[in-house]
Amino acid sequence: MAETCTRKLIVEVCNARNLMPKDGQGTASAFATVDFDGQRRRTKTKFRDLNPEWDEKLEFLVHDNESMATDILEISLYNDKKTGKRSTFLGKVKIAGSAFVKSGGETLVYYPLEKRSVFSQIKGELGLKVYYIDENPPVPPAEQKPEAKAPETEENKPAQEAKPEEEKKEEEKKEEPKTESNKEVKKEEEKPSRPPPQEENPKKAEEAAPPVKVENPPLAESEKQPSKEEKEKAEIVKRSEVTINDLELRSLASDRSRSPYDLVDRMPFLYVRVVKAKAAKNESKIPVYAKLVIGTHSIKTKSQSDKDWDKVFAFDKEGLNSTSLEVSVWTEEKKENEEATQECSLGTVSFDLQEVPKRVPPDSPLAPQWYTLESETSPGNEVMLAVWIGTQADEAFQEAWQSDSGGLLPETRAKVYLSPKLWYLRLTVIQTQDLHLGSGSEAKGRNPELYVKAQLGAQLFKTGRTTFGSTSSSSANPTWNEDLVFVAAEPFEPFLTVTVEDVTNGQSVGHAKIHVASMERRTDDRTEIKSRWFNLAGGETKPYTGRIHVRVCLEGGYHVLDEAAHVTSDVRAAAKQLAKAPIGLLEVGIRGATNLLPVKTMDGTRGTTDAYVVAKYGPKWVRTRTILDRFNPRWNEQYTWDVYDPCTVLTIGVFDNGRYKHDEAAGKQHKDVRVGKIRIRLSTLDTNRVYLNQYALTVLLPSGAKKMGEIEIAVRFSCSSWLSLIQAYTSPMLPRMHYVKPLGPTQQDILRHTAMRLVTARLTRSEPPLGQEVVQFMLDSDTHMWSMRRSKANWFRVVGCLTRVATLARWTEGIRTWVHPPTTVLMHVLLVAIVLCPHLVLPTVFMYAFMILAFRFRYRQKGILNMDSRLSYVDMVGPDELDEEFDGFPSTRSQDVVRIRYDRLRALGGRAQTLLGDFAAHGERLEALWNWRDPRATGIFVVFCLVASLVFYVVPFKVFALGSGLYYLRHPRFRDDMPSVPISFFRRLPSFADQIL
């Protein structure tokens, strides 16, 4: 049996921070045990150190490379019992095998220590580097292979058996309680994910256990070569444990127990597989083709002379207008004197569609058979083919010629796309040295002003300007200390170009190229990135013009936002080491659409629509096949996504395909036309429930909102663990780096649109391409543009939120003014109860909230909400405002139109300006009260504070609260219509409004 490559898992236990003291003396003596695939390793003990540093490299053998993603690496920390009463648990870390990276991509990652139980007192974090390497073992000659193995096993056998006995004697002298320690540790820690097969024999397990003194035990310690039976047992144990690890990962990505088409309808298709033909006369050089005819449907294969066709044709059964299928074989002959080819029929075979067998997966494919062609002129010819009726779940459907999508057109086929993996690239420009700016007198005379420009692909960012040789800089070395952040997409651009520019003469001082693939990667801010010096080159004549000091790295601890923040579908960090197991599975069945409006004209006579659907969640995009020339298309396609966060959004868009037809006159493709879009927020879905609804497709055009039809979607969000789902609500939305080292709002907005452009460029270069207009519509790339309609919609959203507050204020005012006397009397009783029993206030409030929410549960929204045209304010917007929204940037309209829009914007800004001024005046009045701007007003307030302090010293607080409440709820006959004294006093305080020009 040929040897395959050996994979080793390398675990570098670097250090730990802020451990919990467990030895009773305020410290801990920590050591780590690492378990993987039934193998265990142990580090040294670091005595009396809450921040231990091991820097030890442990190796593990990966038995099955394919199942490594389902394995779990578990690292447990313990306090060594030699310095305390017992070995106590300090925390553990579990890492899924899917987070392992190949050698070269590893980075230092700090994992928070997890508790073993709810009552465990654990804190701190553990720094690890985890990666794997693939080694190709040297294959010895076949003749020497059996001779070399036999003596080695016999000679090493007694040495390996004697070694544990000598080690036991040494351990009994130096560490008597070793065995008790191991038992206690085994009781406290969890069992490894896969116990080794040697544990069946306890004696062998003890002999194979590594001694305490060994820092990094070897990869495998076995007394003899395992027999075939032992290998089979080990394989059985291994396979059973793979299932356990899969449950621990809680990954539903590989759980496809349900039918892949249980959310959609089964569509019947007639499948015809034409393999080859055999002529009675052996004429192999004559081109032959097959022709299939079903009513008005007619299709033929390629004309081939020496090759088999082996093509599958899928006819939509609902679109067939005949009950018989005719398959004929034809030859093409070209005579010497004639240019045109002559076609000659070799015969025809007919099938009654009512007698065609049915096949449903997982049945095996139907075997093709030889059928005799009926022909009067050339009898004895045969054709090999298979005919059956199946569904879209058939394995041959994806690669078959499809009647409802135009055959084998690549632009109409169903495809799955993946967005490129995005990283933030951070460049810190520190300083430059030894710059050559020409002659010294010239540079000194013109006092040059410098800045640094960095370019990655089409992205270009600049630092601030600094004067060469100024006092703010360190002598003649200009210093910036500025960060420039780029968006890098895998596969990366080759180089990051850094250029030093001279503003005074507009010329470049020099440039340096940094290889992007070799940049250091980090996952958090605790990893220090080393700074580097690069030589600046000015060109062929100036190979050296100075050097620049920079710090550059790829930030893997951020999530690169490539879509609008309010409709994000993925919040995972870029680094694979920070990946978490999925918490659920999202299944979407795209069933069909109804009552679609015509988007274009066919042959200039009638309208038509060639519709397809694009669904986007996370980095995965799916595109259904295009159903040609139908206003009620039925796709019935089902797709799945792994869910990592429930508070994310699924986006589904419908488009008209205009790219499969080329404009022969213009020589270019048409663009796809948007038909509509819907969004589904996963947090509003019940788990393990199927939502089957029809959603209106509304598109916004310059003429106004237009309903284009309806789409039927089935959605199911499955989750296997409620604990993981609830835990997701308590964790931060974005990765840690977004909070410890946040990006500015303006910078994040620029990076978001840069990421959108990168994703759009990559997807448009796919085959078939996903059009730029499609990607931009799905990502909402124009949400940052000004729109009067969106501004009004957001304003009314704010008003809608404040309506609840206004309703509560009106209800309170009604109680205060005795509109309903029984309610006011009841509030008096409640006020007395609150004052006399203040400890019941919070319990009563929360119990009241619980009862209200529990009562409203039966009236909750049970369906999925769709795009709301009323909330979007599309029904009450003018044509000029819509034309302004569709206008590009900069504007392409005439000066008069732009002037009118500018005046309207000025009027709106004037009202907002007045509102902001009123808010500022209230804050300035309160500040003026404490700054003695109005001495008399502040003096009155000082006297009031003195009197109030004496009154509150004498009067109990309960009496004050009761008196204030009764005064507020007094009868209207005891009220005055004029404003109260405190309000009048506050309005008289000065503000800075009179000092504004």
Side-chain angles (χ1 to χ4, degrees):
M1 186 173 120
E3 293 185 7
T4 58
C5 63
T6 303
R7 176 170 292 182
K8 294 181 180 180
L9 179 67
I10 311 299
V11 180
E12 294 187 20
V13 184
C14 300
N15 56 12
R17 295 180 177 179
N18 303 324
L19 296 179
M20 177 70 73
K22 290 289 181 111
D23 61 352
Q25 300 177 5
T27 61
S29 300
F31 69 91
T33 60
V34 186
D35 295 314
F36 177 76
D37 199 9
Q39 307 166 64
R40 174 171 294 182
R41 304 287 181 267
R42 184 187 188 277
T43 64
K44 292 180 179 179
T45 300
K46 294 298 180 180
F47 297 99
R48 299 183 180 277
D49 192 356
L50 295 178
N51 299 289
E53 294 186 3
W54 292 282
D55 292 327
E56 296 187 26
K57 185 182 294 185
L58 308 178
E59 295 184 358
F60 297 86
L61 184 64
V62 180
H63 296 100
D64 190 357
N65 299 349
E66 296 181 356
S67 64
M68 186 185 70
T70 61
D71 292 335
I72 290 181
L73 174 68
E74 183 173 342
I75 303 98
S76 301
L77 293 185
Y78 293 94
N79 178 48
D80 201 328
K81 75 160 194 171
K82 290 186 292 185
T83 58
K85 296 181 180 180
R86 60 188 179 90
S87 295
T88 51
F89 181 70
L90 295 177
K92 65 178 179 180
V93 172
K94 285 187 177 181
I95 305 175
S98 58
F100 299 161
V101 297
K102 198 170 184 179
S103 177
E106 69 276 6
T107 56
L108 178 60
V109 182
Y110 284 91
Y111 298 92
L113 293 174
E114 301 177 2
K115 296 181 178 181
R116 186 173 51 196
S117 63
V118 181
F119 304 101
S120 300
Q121 294 182 357
I122 302 299
K123 72 173 184 177
E125 52 193 4
L126 181 63
L128 300 170
K129 287 185 180 180
V130 183
Y131 56 96
Y132 63 89
I133 56 177
D134 292 327
E135 297 179 351
N136 293 322
V139 181
E143 297 179 357
Q144 301 177 2
K145 203 169 184 181
E147 296 178 359
K149 278 190 174 181
E152 287 180 3
T153 54
E154 292 177 0
E155 291 174 5
N156 294 338
K157 189 173 181 180
Q160 292 177 354
E161 290 177 353
K163 187 177 178 181
E165 296 179 0
E166 296 175 2
E167 290 172 351
K168 286 180 180 179
K169 292 179 180 179
E170 294 178 3
E171 291 165 7
E172 288 176 359
K173 294 178 181 180
K174 297 182 179 180
E175 303 178 35
E176 294 180 356
K178 173 183 177 296
T179 55
E180 298 177 1
S181 171
N182 291 338
K183 291 180 181 178
E184 291 175 359
V185 171
K186 288 180 181 178
K187 289 179 181 179
E188 291 181 0
E189 67 185 9
E190 295 181 12
K191 294 182 180 180
S193 59
R194 290 187 185 179
Q198 287 83 357
E199 289 183 5
E200 296 177 1
N201 191 342
K203 185 177 180 180
K204 293 182 179 180
E206 292 177 2
E207 293 175 356
V212 178
K213 290 186 178 180
V214 179
E215 299 177 9
N216 297 332
L219 290 176
E221 293 184 5
S222 57
E223 291 79 17
K224 60 180 180 178
Q225 287 289 102
S227 62
K228 292 184 178 180
E229 296 180 357
E230 292 177 350
K231 287 183 178 180
E232 292 177 358
K233 289 182 179 179
E235 189 68 22
I236 292 172
V237 172
K238 186 175 178 182
R239 291 177 181 174
S240 62
E241 291 298 323
V242 168
T243 307
I244 296 174
N245 289 334
D246 197 17
L247 293 175
E248 291 179 359
L249 281 173
R250 301 185 300 276
S251 173
L252 295 177
S254 59
D255 182 13
R256 301 291 188 264
S257 58
R258 298 190 183 97
S259 173
Y261 290 92
D262 62 336
L263 296 182
V264 296
D265 296 331
R266 297 297 179 96
M267 297 180 62
F269 281 88
L270 174 65
Y271 289 91
V272 182
R273 181 184 178 186
V274 184
V275 182
K276 57 184 178 180
K278 183 171 63 175
K281 299 178 181 179
N282 191 10
E283 299 176 356
S284 58
K285 296 183 179 180
I286 299 178
V288 181
Y289 69 89
K291 185 177 181 181
L292 285 73
V293 178
I294 309 177
T296 58
H297 294 276
S298 178
I299 184 66
K300 65 179 183 178
T301 64
K302 290 184 179 180
S303 181
Q304 296 180 351
S305 58
D306 54 351
K307 293 183 180 180
D308 299 338
W309 300 301
D310 199 11
K311 296 293 182 182
V312 180
F313 300 88
F315 297 91
D316 186 8
K317 196 174 180 182
E318 295 181 357
L320 300 179
N321 52 10
S322 177
T323 59
S324 64
L325 164 68
E326 294 183 359
V327 181
S328 58
V329 180
W330 297 74
T331 61
E332 293 183 349
E333 296 183 5
K334 185 176 181 181
K335 296 184 177 180
E336 298 180 356
N337 299 332
E338 298 180 3
E339 296 181 357
T341 59
Q342 292 184 357
E343 297 182 353
C344 179
S345 175
L346 297 181
T348 305
V349 58
S350 300
F351 296 89
D352 188 359
L353 299 185
Q354 296 179 356
E355 298 179 358
V356 173
K358 296 182 180 180
R359 176 187 176 268
V360 178
D363 293 349
S364 300
L366 192 66
Q369 299 179 6
W370 286 105
Y371 292 89
T372 303
L373 298 174
E374 298 179 359
S375 176
E376 297 179 357
T377 58
S378 58
N381 301 322
E382 295 181 341
V383 62
M384 178 180 283
L385 53 85
V387 182
W388 73 94
I389 293 178
T391 64
Q392 74 272 29
D394 201 293
E395 297 86 352
F397 180 74
Q398 296 300 329
E399 301 299 331
W401 179 95
Q402 300 169 6
S403 62
D404 58 353
S405 61
L408 292 173
L409 297 176
E411 292 84 3
T412 62
R413 311 290 287 183
K415 292 291 180 181
V416 176
Y417 303 86
L418 289 177
S419 298
K421 190 175 183 180
L422 303 177
W423 296 70
Y424 283 144
L425 190 151
R426 185 185 298 273
L427 172 68
T428 304
V429 182
I430 302 175
Q431 66 174 358
T432 55
Q433 287 185 0
D434 194 22
L435 295 180
H436 297 177
L437 301 177
S439 61
S441 58
E442 180 185 355
K444 187 175 180 180
R446 59 186 175 88
N447 195 16
E449 194 173 4
L450 306 177
Y451 70 90
V452 177
K453 176 180 68 176
Q455 184 173 3
L456 179 68
Q459 304 174 57
L460 181 66
F461 293 101
K462 302 177 181 179
T463 64
R465 299 180 180 181
T466 182
T467 305
F468 182 74
S470 63
T471 56
S472 60
S473 303
S474 57
S475 65
N477 300 325
T479 303
W480 288 275
N481 287 321
E482 294 186 24
D483 286 348
L484 303 178
V485 183
F486 301 82
V487 179
E490 293 184 357
F492 298 120
E493 295 285 342
F495 296 101
L496 170 67
T497 305
V498 182
T499 308
V500 180
E501 297 279 349
D502 188 352
V503 181
T504 55
N505 59 7
Q507 296 181 358
S508 172
V509 178
H511 69 275
K513 291 186 176 181
I514 306 174
H515 194 240
V516 178
S518 62
M519 291 180 182
E520 188 175 353
R521 306 182 184 187
R522 71 172 183 177
T523 57
D524 52 30
D525 61 325
R526 289 163 290 195
T527 304
E528 294 294 335
I529 302 299
K530 297 180 181 179
S531 59
R532 303 165 64 185
W533 288 94
F534 293 93
N535 292 335
L536 298 173
E540 296 180 357
T541 58
K542 297 180 180 179
Y544 177 79
T545 58
R547 60 177 188 164
I548 185 170
H549 191 198
V550 298
R551 187 182 295 112
V552 60
C553 69
L554 290 169
E555 297 281 6
Y558 291 93
H559 168 69
V560 182
L561 294 172
D562 59 347
E563 50 194 344
H566 60 281
V567 292
T568 183
S569 60
D570 189 14
V571 293
R572 292 176 293 167
K576 188 178 180 182
Q577 294 89 338
L578 300 180
K580 297 181 180 179
I583 62 173
L585 186 72
L586 175 64
E587 299 171 89
V588 179
I590 304 173
R591 299 171 65 89
T594 56
N595 303 324
L596 294 182
L597 297 182
V599 177
K600 55 192 175 185
T601 58
M602 177 178 289
D603 302 328
T605 56
R606 62 183 182 86
T608 182
T609 299
D610 306 324
Y612 69 93
V613 180
V614 175
K616 195 258 181 196
Y617 183 79
K620 180 180 176 181
W621 301 62
V622 299
R623 169 180 174 165
T624 66
R625 68 187 191 278
T626 302
I627 306 298
L628 301 181
D629 194 19
R630 291 189 185 178
F631 298 122
N632 299 286
R634 304 299 296 178
W635 295 283
N636 284 310
E637 299 182 18
Q638 186 169 336
Y639 299 93
T640 59
W641 288 266
D642 286 328
V643 178
Y644 296 88
D645 194 292
C647 302
T648 46
V649 178
L650 167 69
T651 305
I652 300 175
V654 183
F655 301 88
D656 174 78
N657 195 333
R659 293 180 176 270
Y660 75 97
K661 287 186 176 180
H662 295 268
D663 191 350
E664 298 179 356
K668 61 180 181 180
Q669 290 179 329
H670 297 283
K671 291 185 177 181
D672 296 343
V673 181
R674 59 183 70 173
V675 177
K677 179 172 59 178
I678 65 172
R679 297 193 190 99
I680 300 175
R681 185 168 291 274
L682 269 62
S683 59
T684 61
L685 304 179
D686 294 338
T687 56
N688 303 316
R689 174 186 170 186
V690 178
Y691 291 85
L692 178 58
N693 295 309
Q694 285 191 343
Y695 306 92
L697 296 173
T698 305
V699 65
L700 188 63
L701 302 174
S703 58
K706 187 176 183 180
K707 183 180 178 181
M708 303 295 293
E710 295 181 345
I711 185 173
E712 185 178 1
I713 299 293
V715 182
R716 177 171 56 211
F717 174 39
S718 305
C719 181
S720 60
S721 174
W722 268 92
L723 183 61
S724 302
L725 189 61
I726 300 301
Q727 187 179 3
Y729 280 89
T730 61
S731 60
M733 186 74 178
L734 294 172
R736 180 178 177 274
M737 285 291 287
H738 285 271
Y739 305 100
V740 298
K741 198 170 184 179
L743 302 171
T746 305
Q747 185 182 28
Q748 195 167 2
D749 192 57
I750 294 174
L751 293 175
R752 180 188 295 113
H753 290 95
T754 302
M756 287 181 180
R757 289 193 294 268
L758 285 175
V759 172
T760 303
R762 291 292 178 89
L763 294 180
T764 52
R765 289 190 297 176
S766 303
E767 186 59 37
L770 200 60
Q772 178 181 357
E773 64 280 2
V774 175
V775 179
Q776 291 180 352
F777 182 62
M778 296 291 290
L779 295 179
D780 283 342
S781 59
D782 58 346
T783 53
H784 65 290
M785 301 298 294
W786 162 257
S787 170
M788 179 67 74
R789 177 188 61 84
R790 288 199 188 100
S791 301
K792 291 181 179 179
N794 292 334
W795 168 255
F796 284 105
R797 286 170 60 195
V798 175
V799 171
C801 295
L802 296 177
T803 302
R804 279 75 176 176
V805 180
T807 303
L808 180 61
R810 288 194 297 269
W811 178 75
T812 306
E813 184 66 19
I815 293 175
R816 177 173 174 266
T817 55
W818 293 69
V819 174
H820 191 251
T823 305
T824 306
V825 173
L826 183 61
M827 291 303 297
H828 281 77
V829 176
L830 182 62
L831 175 64
V832 174
I834 290 175
V835 172
L836 297 180
C837 304
H839 60 280
L840 296 178
V841 175
L842 292 179
T844 304
V845 170
F846 284 109
M847 180 56 68
Y848 186 58
F850 166 77
M851 295 178 65
I852 291 178
L853 295 176
F855 177 75
R856 289 187 176 184
F857 178 76
R858 57 187 300 183
Y859 301 105
R860 72 188 187 280
Q861 182 69 35
K862 296 183 180 180
I864 302 177
L865 297 178
N866 191 18
M867 300 285 190
D868 192 345
S869 58
R870 183 178 180 182
L871 184 64
S872 303
Y873 210 75
V874 295
D875 298 332
M876 296 171 285
V877 64
D880 184 63
E881 295 177 353
L882 284 175
D883 182 71
E884 180 184 13
E885 183 173 347
F886 282 91
D887 190 10
F889 186 83
S891 178
T892 57
R893 302 297 184 264
S894 62
Q895 294 183 0
D896 295 337
V897 175
V898 174
R899 185 180 295 109
I900 293 173
R901 294 174 180 174
Y902 176 66
D903 293 340
R904 182 178 61 200
L905 185 61
R906 289 176 61 190
L908 181 64
R911 293 195 293 269
Q913 172 183 301
T914 304
L915 184 63
L916 292 176
D918 293 340
F919 275 110
H922 289 317
E924 290 167 355
R925 290 189 180 100
L926 186 62
E927 186 179 357
L929 185 63
W930 295 88
N931 293 337
W932 292 84
R933 288 194 60 209
D934 187 346
R936 285 175 293 276
T938 307
I940 295 172
F941 184 68
V942 168
V943 174
F944 170 78
C945 292
L946 178 61
V947 174
S949 63
L950 298 176
V951 171
F952 282 114
Y953 182 76
V954 177
V955 178
F957 180 76
K958 291 184 178 181
V959 175
F960 168 76
L962 182 60
S964 301
L966 294 176
Y967 177 78
Y968 181 77
L969 298 174
R970 66 191 185 277
H971 198 271
R973 70 174 59 184
F974 302 107
R975 297 180 184 275
D976 192 3
D977 296 334
M978 301 302 292
S980 62
V981 174
I983 294 178
S984 302
F985 179 78
F986 182 77
R987 290 178 177 175
R988 290 179 178 274
L989 294 174
S991 66
F992 292 111
D994 53 350
Q995 299 182 14
I996 296 179
L997 295 176

